[in-house]
Amino acid sequence: MHPAPRALRRAVAAVTVALLATAVGCAPQPEEKASAAPSGSAAKSCAKGKLATRTAGKLTIATDEPAYEPWFKDDKPANGKGFESAVAYAVAEQLGYDKSAVVWQSVPFNKAFAPGVKTFDFDINQVSISAERKKAVDFSSGYYDVRQAVIALKGGKAAQAKSIADLKKLKLGAQVGTTSLDYITDVVKPAQDAAVYAKNDQAKSALKNGQVDAIVTDLPTAFYITAAEVTNAKIVGQFENQGGTPEQFGLVLDKGSALTSCVSGAVDALRKDGTLAGIEKQWLSDAVDAPVLK
């Protein structure tokens, strides 16, 4: 990671001093005060099109490469097609940046939420919000509620699994650093160690070649893989969400970013006015119910 440019550090320091002096800012407000109108530096710091972004007047958004469907279309994040590309542009518009002001950047999945100064304003790449990741980065409000699913080759020994117990004796695989891998190790707890891959492409190849009995991905990705990429595979089932709150994807920001509450506010507004639901219906309509593995 490269340190922030000197001019940016001075700008951030100046904003920090101003925020401390007025005791207000874009920090999250107590729930009972959330509807209060912003004032002072808070109003200025979230002013549309004038945020303290890495490049003045531009919004830098990162994602991994390649950018998979159904999250992106044709491996081109900038085309506005695919669920996450559409969400990114909707958030940008809500923040006051039109399509021409958005700059895309390629950042590997694991690097997006690793400790260190970020080169982007926010990252969108199916990153699940977790307490552990929050130690290194900030997250926006969740923009998608997600479940994890199991994919196996038709006719393989994993294809007939009906429960978590049926998965325990199988060789399972997933991408490194994902909640998909967490579900294998923490929920299934298989007799064999999970196979871990740097990319989903590698996990799919392992499944095709019989190196693993099944792989775990988020449900929309599972529908796309079985429909378009590994057509002799099937979705065995999906896991129930663990704990009281659903797993959610969030936009990733630098730890302590001055943009965090502004970006969260944008996501919240898009959820409230139905924009997120509309984008989900358009791009993730195939992600219907799959059998639940218990």
Side-chain angles (χ1 to χ4, degrees):
M1 298 292 184
H2 298 290
R6 183 176 302 171
L8 176 60
R9 294 201 301 270
R10 290 200 298 266
V12 171
V15 171
T16 303
V17 170
L19 291 175
L20 291 174
T22 57
V24 294
C26 262
Q29 299 294 313
E31 189 170 338
E32 65 272 17
K33 296 181 180 179
S35 61
S39 62
S41 60
K44 293 179 182 178
S45 60
C46 288
K48 288 186 178 295
K50 298 181 180 180
L51 305 185
T53 54
R54 295 192 62 83
T55 302
K58 300 288 185 180
L59 188 67
T60 302
I61 304 176
T63 196
D64 202 354
E65 186 179 4
Y68 299 106
E69 296 191 29
W71 310 106
F72 299 91
K73 186 77 171 174
D74 301 326
D75 192 19
K76 296 178 180 178
N79 64 14
K81 299 177 181 180
F83 178 76
E84 289 194 328
S85 182
V87 168
Y89 281 117
V91 170
E93 183 178 359
Q94 191 71 28
L95 294 171
Y97 296 88
D98 63 22
K99 194 170 184 178
S100 65
V102 173
V103 178
W104 284 92
Q105 187 180 94
S106 176
V107 173
F109 178 82
N110 258 5
K111 193 174 181 180
F113 51 86
V117 176
K118 305 306 174 195
T119 58
F120 49 78
D121 293 313
F122 69 75
D123 177 278
I124 182 167
N125 190 24
Q126 308 115 65
V127 182
S128 294
I129 301 168
S130 72
E132 183 63 28
R133 289 172 178 171
K134 282 184 176 180
K135 294 177 183 178
V137 295
D138 282 358
F139 281 97
S140 71
S141 301
Y143 63 87
Y144 178 68
D145 298 351
V146 65
R147 285 193 174 190
Q148 300 297 319
V150 179
I151 306 169
L153 295 180
K154 297 173 183 177
K157 58 183 179 180
Q160 302 306 314
K162 303 295 183 185
S163 66
I164 291 174
D166 293 339
L167 300 173
K168 289 185 179 294
K169 294 182 180 180
L170 303 176
K171 183 68 173 180
L172 305 175
Q175 183 178 345
V176 66
T178 60
T179 50
S180 303
L181 182 58
D182 292 340
Y183 267 73
I184 295 175
T185 56
D186 300 337
V187 177
V188 179
K189 300 177 181 177
Q192 306 178 61
D193 289 340
V196 183
Y197 303 97
K199 299 276 188 179
N200 256 338
D201 277 346
Q202 296 171 353
K204 287 180 289 186
S205 294
L207 179 64
K208 288 180 182 179
N209 297 332
Q211 296 168 303
V212 292
D213 298 310
I215 60 174
V216 178
T217 71
D218 58 80
L219 185 57
T221 297
F223 274 99
Y224 180 75
I225 288 173
T226 54
E229 297 185 312
V230 189
T231 54
N232 62 330
K234 62 175 282 188
I235 296 175
V236 176
Q238 62 178 308
F239 295 105
E240 293 182 302
N241 283 315
Q242 303 299 302
T245 57
E247 177 185 349
Q248 291 186 313
F249 292 156
L251 306 175
V252 181
L253 298 97
D254 208 351
K255 186 68 176 174
S257 172
L259 305 181
T260 300
S261 66
C262 303
V263 173
S264 281
V267 173
D268 292 342
L270 294 171
R271 184 179 290 276
K272 185 176 181 180
D273 70 11
T275 299
L276 288 181
I279 294 173
E280 183 176 333
K281 183 177 181 180
Q282 180 180 2
W283 295 106
L284 303 181
S285 58
D286 289 339
V288 295
D289 289 342
V292 175
L293 300 168
K294 297 183 178 180

